[in-house]
Amino acid sequence: MEVTDQRPQRPTQGRRRLSSTDRSRGAKPRLLLMGLRRSGKSSISNVVFHKMPPSETLFLESTTRIQKDFIHSFMDFQVWDFPGQLEYLETPTIDLETIFGRHGALVWVIDAQDDYLDSVARLNRTILTVQQYYPNINIEVFIHKVDGLSEEYRHDTFQDIVQRITDELNDAGYENAPVYYYLTSIYDYSVFEAFSKVIQKLIPELSTLENLITILTNNCGFEKTYLFDVLSKIYIASDTRPVDMPCYEMCSDYIDVIVDISELYSWDHPDRKPKGEQLREAESHVVLHDQTMIHLMEMNK
Amino acid sequence: MDVRKKKKKVLLMGKSGSGKSSMRSIIFSNYVAKDVRRLGATIDVEHSHVKFMGNLTLNLWDCGGQDAFMETYLASQRANIFSDVAVLIYVFDIESREVERDLDTYNSIIEALHEFSPGAYVFCLIHKLDLIQNEHRLRIYEERSLLIRSRSEHFKIDTFGSSIWDQSLYKAWAGIVHKLIPNLYVIERFLQAFAKKIDAEEIILFERSTFLTVTSVSSDVGSMNPIYDRHERLSNIMKAFKHCAARNTHTTPASAGFLVMQTKTPQFNVFLGRFTDNTYIFVVVPPGEVAYNCAVLNTLLAREGFSKDAIVGHYEGFPLPTVDSSTGKGPNGSTHPLSQSDTSPDEE
């Protein structure tokens, strides 16, 4: 069925859930979104997990209590959106164990367009606590709202923040602490990419998936293969070649095209009858003007 | 065949700032909605030629809308501007505070048009509808459209509500273009017969560069689709993807595009491909691998017949005989599924 000529092909693979694989650590991993107020935590979670158009995030109210979102996807996980006003470590009424007690990731959002010294200081205190008592929490830093910064300034800000945090941690005796940094913006694909990386670390089967995909890619002469979560457009795994942003963007937009077209033609009516046998999984491909091909196969529901 | 090359003069008018150039840029010049704020005011008249469907050229006169220009159009330039007009597109800004004055200007334009081109079509777009709250949109649009009709004198006009921020813009322009294409009934008759042959639920013909719907046919089942604005939504979806492809392959949106797109789902199958030089055909068929592959193959075969005749210029009788014979190769749509390998190579 597939076109088998020698042109470069770029298959995307869309999927929603990997069956029964999420039992391994007993509980659903948690993503904890933290940072100062107005740094963009709720915007991120709405854009990535609720398909909100970025322009509408301007109207989001400030978060006043912890918002817990349960995401049922390829892997069930929870997103906890924290109000920025509260300082958790210094509020004795909050039981840190209930927050950090499980396997998960702490996503700290820093507004790169604002004065970030305060945020960095708080992040440092948080890292020290978390590192000490809850080493099963990954620490991920989103240097956010970078769409408003020039290329050069963006780079400087990134370096500065990384430097400040590393210095502080070194002083406290944590060398090479496992803290990861991402430049993000909700106006492009960077935030999806960053979330993809964060979530991938929480998938115990990641290396197996990557291996399988790499074998597939090499044997079929594909340029790049992604295993996508259709709903959030986060990629769960990809082959081991370097991630190519344009390719990721196109795959991600192509998923939108298919989802949108499906919406238009998936209506139910007793007179709509199939004409014959067909696979239960959706399949789609497009050939672009430069002969590249994007192929999508649904792996499971 | 040059006689058949139709040049149609299209006047684009309306008050200054009503959005004439913005919509023209989005539809014909591959702008995205958020980029149009970079456009400056149009001075005097900007002419542009848009090739549409090969043998139809739209000669677009984008007329700057400031009062001073309007006066010259109506006075010294009157004959120049208003003669040989095929279509007048008049844009009203829904937010305008001087509705009465706008209508007066419109009325004088209509008078001038009647004087020089009494046979022209008139389309009125009530624009920037996105600025009105959703629940009032329909009511305000209808009130305004009634007012406009009452001032249109000798012309029977069509009105559309539009906004550059959603698919309504595509609906309006598809309606306009639909009126301009010569021999459209021939194309429609062909598509109707073809849709029946391949058991398609729906066939839509899109213009290549603008992705406007040229025409569409649906079967009895297909016409029960509850989503009425699906055609313009498709235009919108595909154009957005074209922009994405252009951005990521480092080409201009004008030269980016797709050769083929196929989607198979348990509810429906879709095939989008180049049809003639200037059109894409979009075919929706019910699920069923074999029937679908035949439909794809037949579409590719029909394409040859269609474009050959279009080039020779036998516009009048062209599609039916040729296509009947080519689809006839697979009686009852039972072309052997093994021949599907023919469908993979792309001539383009």
Side-chain angles (χ1 to χ4, degrees):
Chain A
M1 190 52 230
E2 254 86 290
V3 181
T4 50
D5 55 14
Q6 302 306 309
R7 285 176 215 143
Q9 304 188 5
R10 294 173 175 176
T12 41
Q13 309 199 324
R15 214 113 356 308
R16 288 176 204 139
R17 197 191 330 154
L18 285 170
S19 52
S20 70
T21 50
D22 32 26
R23 263 173 279 118
S24 42
R25 307 236 174 156
K28 296 164 183 138
R30 274 183 201 157
L31 290 179
L32 310 166
L33 280 169
M34 293 187 171
L36 294 193
R37 57 186 203 73
R38 305 201 50 77
S39 57
K41 302 175 291 300
S42 305
S43 302
I44 292 180
S45 106
N46 277 296
V47 168
V48 176
F49 298 107
H50 299 285
K51 285 202 143 209
M52 180 184 272
S55 50
E56 274 173 36
T57 57
L58 285 175
F59 306 112
L60 284 174
E61 304 262 334
S62 145
T63 310
T64 49
R65 53 175 62 210
I66 300 177
Q67 296 277 346
K68 296 178 189 175
D69 249 334
F70 299 90
I71 312 286
H72 303 286
S73 186
F74 61 96
M75 158 179 95
D76 290 352
F77 57 93
Q78 306 174 7
V79 179
W80 289 23
D81 184 7
F82 286 76
Q85 304 64 353
L86 278 176
E87 177 91 67
Y88 293 91
L89 306 175
E90 274 127 53
T91 321
T93 51
I94 293 177
D95 180 14
L96 291 182
E97 183 64 30
T98 55
I99 299 177
F100 298 114
R102 289 223 216 138
H103 169 63
L106 165 67
V107 176
W108 190 275
V109 183
I110 297 178
D111 180 350
Q113 294 188 22
D114 201 7
D115 177 20
Y116 48 76
L117 293 181
D118 197 22
S119 183
V120 168
R122 243 167 85 172
L123 170 59
N124 273 325
R125 286 198 296 275
T126 313
I127 295 177
L128 292 176
T129 317
V130 171
Q131 274 286 305
Q132 195 171 353
Y133 301 109
Y134 309 101
N136 54 344
I137 298 274
N138 302 336
I139 295 168
E140 320 276 357
V141 181
F142 283 18
I143 299 166
H144 194 51
K145 306 194 194 176
V146 289
D147 49 284
L149 306 181
S150 71
E151 195 72 39
E152 200 177 324
Y153 192 60
R154 204 180 284 186
H155 186 72
D156 292 349
T157 311
F158 184 83
Q159 286 301 331
D160 187 45
I161 291 177
V162 173
Q163 196 60 49
R164 281 169 193 277
I165 295 172
T166 329
D167 287 353
E168 185 85 14
L169 290 179
N170 284 347
D171 292 349
Y174 289 98
E175 276 181 39
N176 303 322
V179 180
Y180 300 89
Y181 303 88
Y182 309 86
L183 285 166
T184 59
S185 158
I186 51 170
Y187 292 96
D188 57 27
Y189 295 77
S190 54
V191 70
F192 291 93
E193 232 253 307
F195 254 109
S196 303
K197 298 241 169 82
V198 169
I199 287 180
Q200 282 167 21
K201 289 187 203 146
L202 303 175
I203 304 175
E205 303 83 355
L206 181 66
S207 56
T208 320
L209 285 174
E210 278 186 343
N211 261 335
L212 289 172
I213 293 175
T214 307
I215 294 169
L216 173 78
T217 310
N218 288 342
N219 286 333
C220 300
F222 294 154
E223 226 169 67
K224 184 80 194 157
T225 311
Y226 293 101
L227 185 63
F228 265 99
D229 172 47
V230 167
L231 294 181
S232 60
K233 291 191 284 162
I234 283 174
Y235 70 92
I236 300 151
S238 81
D239 60 312
T240 43
R241 291 173 214 197
V243 170
D244 166 20
M245 266 322 256
C247 171
Y248 173 63
E249 280 183 29
M250 274 200 293
C251 294
S252 160
D253 269 32
Y254 188 53
I255 291 176
D256 274 346
V257 169
I258 294 163
V259 170
D260 290 345
I261 291 180
S262 302
E263 242 166 58
L264 299 181
Y265 288 101
S266 294
W267 46 287
D268 278 322
H269 194 280
D271 290 352
R272 285 193 101 195
K273 292 195 191 80
K275 287 250 169 280
E277 299 276 306
Q278 186 163 316
L279 289 175
R280 305 248 336 266
E281 281 80 27
E283 186 182 355
S284 176
H285 66 250
V286 64
V287 181
L288 298 178
H289 54 97
D290 59 358
Q291 307 288 5
T292 45
M293 178 183 214
I294 303 176
H295 190 96
L296 174 139
M297 294 243 323
E298 183 173 0
M299 304 307 286
N300 56 3
K301 284 289 170 205
Chain B
M1 288 304 120
D2 278 335
V3 201
R4 293 184 177 273
K5 291 238 180 237
K6 300 252 166 60
K7 240 188 196 180
K8 302 228 174 181
K9 178 165 160 189
V10 178
L11 287 187
L12 191 54
M13 294 187 131
K15 208 176 69 158
S16 169
S18 56
K20 301 174 290 298
S21 305
S22 301
M23 58 169 90
R24 176 177 64 109
S25 312
I26 291 178
I27 297 281
F28 297 108
S29 313
N30 289 301
Y31 272 61
V32 287
K34 66 176 193 303
D35 286 345
V36 299
R37 78 185 98 165
R38 291 198 227 126
L39 292 169
T42 307
I43 303 300
D44 217 352
V45 182
E46 270 177 25
H47 299 266
S48 50
H49 294 264
V50 183
K51 245 184 121 190
F52 202 90
M53 294 284 291
N55 66 340
L56 171 67
T57 306
L58 301 185
N59 192 358
L60 209 58
W61 294 39
D62 184 357
C63 307
Q66 292 165 41
D67 291 342
F69 297 138
M70 280 294 197
E71 275 160 33
T72 51
Y73 303 152
L74 288 167
S76 56
Q77 299 247 32
R78 198 172 172 105
N80 177 26
I81 298 264
F82 292 101
S83 49
D84 297 322
V85 175
V87 175
L88 166 70
I89 301 168
Y90 202 93
V91 185
F92 288 91
D93 182 348
I94 189 88
E95 275 221 307
S96 169
R97 308 207 174 278
E98 321 164 282
V99 179
E100 210 36 55
R101 206 174 139 241
D102 293 350
L103 287 170
D104 287 340
T105 325
Y106 168 66
N107 195 251
S108 7
I109 299 278
I110 284 288
E111 287 291 335
L113 185 68
H114 182 64
E115 192 178 319
F116 291 94
S117 319
Y121 292 112
V122 179
F123 294 92
C124 290
L125 304 188
I126 300 169
H127 198 45
K128 307 194 187 173
L129 268 188
D130 54 294
L131 297 174
I132 305 292
Q133 275 179 311
N134 217 338
E135 55 265 37
H136 304 303
R137 254 176 227 176
L138 192 66
R139 183 177 53 82
I140 294 185
Y141 162 69
E142 272 168 5
E143 282 172 13
R144 201 58 68 89
S145 127
L146 219 63
L147 270 179
I148 297 170
R149 273 171 211 280
S150 70
R151 304 295 297 269
S152 303
E153 315 280 336
H154 327 274
F155 291 96
K156 224 179 125 298
I157 64 160
D158 288 300
T159 58
F160 292 99
S162 60
S163 154
I164 57 168
W165 298 99
D166 61 27
Q167 61 271 9
S168 57
L169 187 67
Y170 291 95
K171 183 189 163 85
W173 281 86
I176 294 169
V177 166
H178 192 94
K179 277 254 161 74
L180 289 175
I181 295 169
N183 300 319
L184 196 61
Y185 70 97
V186 185
I187 303 177
E188 274 165 3
R189 217 173 56 203
F190 157 74
L191 287 179
Q192 205 92 47
F194 184 59
K196 215 166 169 176
K197 272 249 150 58
I198 61 171
D199 269 325
E201 275 181 5
E202 182 155 68
I203 295 187
I204 311 172
L205 215 53
F206 289 107
E207 202 276 334
R208 190 176 67 91
S209 60
T210 57
F211 247 102
L212 289 173
T213 312
V214 174
T215 185
S216 69
V217 297
S218 357
S219 70
D220 295 340
V221 179
S223 51
M224 285 188 281
N225 189 334
I227 301 167
Y228 295 113
D229 58 354
R230 57 187 184 276
H231 298 165
E232 45 282 14
R233 278 166 70 172
L234 277 172
S235 305
N236 209 3
I237 293 167
M238 298 317 288
K239 209 151 182 194
F241 186 60
K242 185 165 127 174
H243 282 294
C244 172
R247 220 174 33 243
N248 291 309
T249 52
H250 308 288
T251 41
T252 58
S255 55
F258 348 89
L259 304 178
V260 194
M261 187 191 83
Q262 301 195 22
T263 302
K264 289 188 264 179
T265 77
Q267 281 90 28
F268 67 93
N269 288 336
V270 157
F271 167 76
L272 173 99
R274 279 286 194 61
F275 199 55
T276 61
D277 287 346
N278 304 288
T279 53
Y280 281 112
I281 192 166
F282 184 88
V283 183
V284 186
V285 294
E289 199 111 14
V290 178
Y292 171 71
N293 289 333
C294 291
V296 172
L297 182 60
N298 280 326
T299 310
L300 294 172
L301 288 170
R303 168 168 81 180
E304 282 163 31
F306 198 99
S307 54
K308 208 184 295 160
D309 281 322
I311 290 165
V312 182
H314 299 148
Y315 237 115
E316 277 312 319
F318 78 88
L320 287 171
T322 338
V323 169
D324 270 356
S325 66
S326 53
T327 48
K329 280 179 195 165
N332 319 322
S334 64
T335 313
H336 200 281
L338 285 179
S339 54
Q340 64 189 225
S341 53
D342 295 358
T343 61
S344 22
D346 281 291
E347 295 88 307
E348 268 91 358

